[in-house]
Amino acid sequence: MTGRQEPYYVDYDADFGLSGLAEAFTLSPAPEDTGAALGLVTAKLDAYDRECPAGSVDHLSADERSILGYDTSHDDWGYAEELREDVRGLVESPLADEAIRAVWRVAAGGGWDPAAHGMSARDWLRRIDETCAARPPRKAPGRRPAPSSWWGAWRPAADEVRDDVVAEIAEIAKMRSCGERSAGPLPSPDTLSALEEVAARVDPDLGFRLFLRALKVHSVRIEKARYDRLQALGERFGHPAALIDFGLDIAWPPIDTARRDATWDFGFSHLAGQAHQDWRESREEIRKTVGGDDIGQTPGSAAAVLLEDTLRLLRSALPDAAVTALWAGGPRTARGVPTAGTGFG
């Protein structure tokens, strides 16, 4: 399988497709029967439609897109189509049904086992597909929109990323064989082997997302170097950082306020830069800056740097007028500039 190279939209801010559905199963009580399980599928699709309603612009032809310089929103494609693509990939794959059952069970936290309800794994996936197909199409069914110049990304060919995904799964399998300790029990060898099969024989993107779900379900402690590799892989797929971060148990290094490898401004200068014409509530802006850790930073880094910058100014010999001038030099307008003597404590 060489992989698809069609363009797609980066419009999700978290997990999606079959792995996103599996996450919903881990966050809900175990369904009592098939109807309740399919109800979770419908609820997931409904939630996406509420949060991301279909756009009002109709799909355009390739020539029209080229002439106008923009495209319709990925929202017109919808969650159901992404989910069906993942499902069809597994159903039509050469994988044994037991391997498909293994990856579904680990991704969904083991709360819903189709075999316990008289279904094979493929039967369960077909029921998901039927649930998606029964929904009214958002726009043009079966047609994936091409990207606009600033929203789009190209899905990497499977051959470009397959080996890297398989290697990450194999490293976890090696941890198990070497008896390395982790925060939680590692996925079973059969499950890890099934995940490798998905990445190698079905789709490395789907294999990667299901592998992340397995790490999260089992609370596998991930060291910073491995986390950085997972984030780099996610960037190649065009995934948001939250898809990797949310629910992953990361062994963060200690906070280091001397590090200067952030991708945007930080600390006091960043806060001062927020005092523009839209400045409304200083405490809220401070909260945003405090919580603005960069991707890959130890949680709390942004707060620590802002505190260090602020204490340096408070403990300095600079008069209030000079500190006020420093603050006023960041924003484009005078809005939000404190009066002399107010301080920043």
Side-chain angles (χ1 to χ4, degrees):
M1 183 175 178
T2 59
R4 299 175 298 276
Q5 298 187 55
E6 77 275 12
Y8 69 106
Y9 269 91
V10 182
D11 196 52
Y12 297 104
D13 56 7
D15 209 344
F16 61 92
L18 186 63
S19 54
L21 175 64
E23 179 184 49
F25 273 73
T26 67
L27 299 175
S28 303
E32 295 182 358
D33 52 35
T34 304
L38 292 173
L40 285 180
V41 178
T42 300
K44 183 70 174 177
L45 302 178
D46 288 344
Y48 180 83
D49 285 343
R50 287 193 301 269
E51 295 169 8
C52 304
S56 59
V57 181
D58 291 334
H59 281 268
L60 306 175
S61 69
D63 289 341
E64 288 171 325
R65 287 196 296 269
S66 176
I67 293 170
L68 295 175
Y70 68 91
D71 194 8
T72 55
S73 171
H74 175 263
D75 292 337
D76 294 337
W77 173 255
Y79 196 103
E81 291 297 331
E82 299 279 8
L83 178 53
R84 295 187 75 190
E85 185 171 302
D86 284 349
V87 165
R88 286 193 295 262
L90 286 173
V91 169
E92 298 169 5
S93 75
L95 268 63
D97 199 80
E98 191 58 34
I100 297 175
R101 174 176 174 246
V103 297
W104 164 259
R105 289 195 66 200
V106 70
W112 170 257
D113 182 359
H117 297 270
M119 289 185 292
S120 70
R122 279 184 168 84
D123 287 340
W124 164 237
L125 294 181
R126 291 187 183 101
R127 296 294 298 274
I128 294 174
D129 186 68
E130 291 168 0
T131 302
C132 293
R135 298 176 70 83
R138 290 166 67 94
K139 285 293 180 181
R143 178 177 176 185
R144 181 186 293 275
S148 65
S149 58
W150 60 91
W151 283 345
W154 284 92
R155 188 194 301 264
D159 292 340
E160 297 174 1
V161 287
R162 179 189 295 113
D163 290 347
D164 292 333
V165 175
V166 171
E168 289 299 333
I169 302 173
E171 278 292 317
I172 298 298
K174 183 178 178 181
M175 285 174 57
R176 168 176 276 283
S177 64
C178 294
E180 293 185 30
R181 297 178 61 85
S182 66
L186 294 171
S188 71
D190 288 344
T191 298
L192 291 169
S193 177
L195 287 167
E196 285 191 45
E197 281 198 85
V198 174
R201 306 178 68 188
V202 182
D203 179 23
D205 184 355
L206 177 58
F208 178 64
R209 287 184 279 118
L210 292 173
F211 170 57
L212 287 171
R213 292 289 324 136
L215 295 179
K216 295 170 184 180
V217 165
H218 282 270
S219 299
V220 178
R221 179 64 58 87
I222 300 298
E223 69 276 15
K224 181 62 163 55
R226 190 185 305 277
Y227 165 79
D228 289 340
R229 294 199 305 269
L230 294 176
Q231 276 290 5
L233 262 175
E235 288 179 10
R236 292 166 69 184
F237 286 117
H239 297 327
L243 189 150
I244 288 85
D245 281 8
F246 183 73
L248 194 64
D249 186 2
I250 306 161
W252 293 107
I255 291 174
D256 181 3
T257 57
R259 291 187 62 177
R260 293 296 182 265
D261 54 356
T263 56
W264 51 73
D265 201 359
F266 53 89
F268 183 84
S269 57
H270 173 71
L271 179 63
Q274 303 309 302
H276 42 62
Q277 65 270 19
D278 296 326
W279 179 276
R280 290 290 182 270
E281 170 56 55
S282 59
R283 290 185 182 275
E284 182 59 31
E285 295 297 340
I286 292 171
R287 291 189 190 98
K288 290 179 181 178
T289 302
V290 165
D293 295 319
D294 203 351
I295 297 170
Q297 279 190 324
T298 300
S301 294
V305 172
L306 178 58
L307 176 62
E308 184 171 280
D309 285 353
T310 303
L311 290 177
R312 283 175 176 174
L313 289 171
L314 285 172
R315 293 167 179 170
S316 73
L318 291 173
D320 282 351
V323 176
T324 299
L326 289 173
W327 173 265
R332 296 180 179 178
T333 74
R335 192 92 178 260
V337 177
T339 58
T342 333
F344 297 92

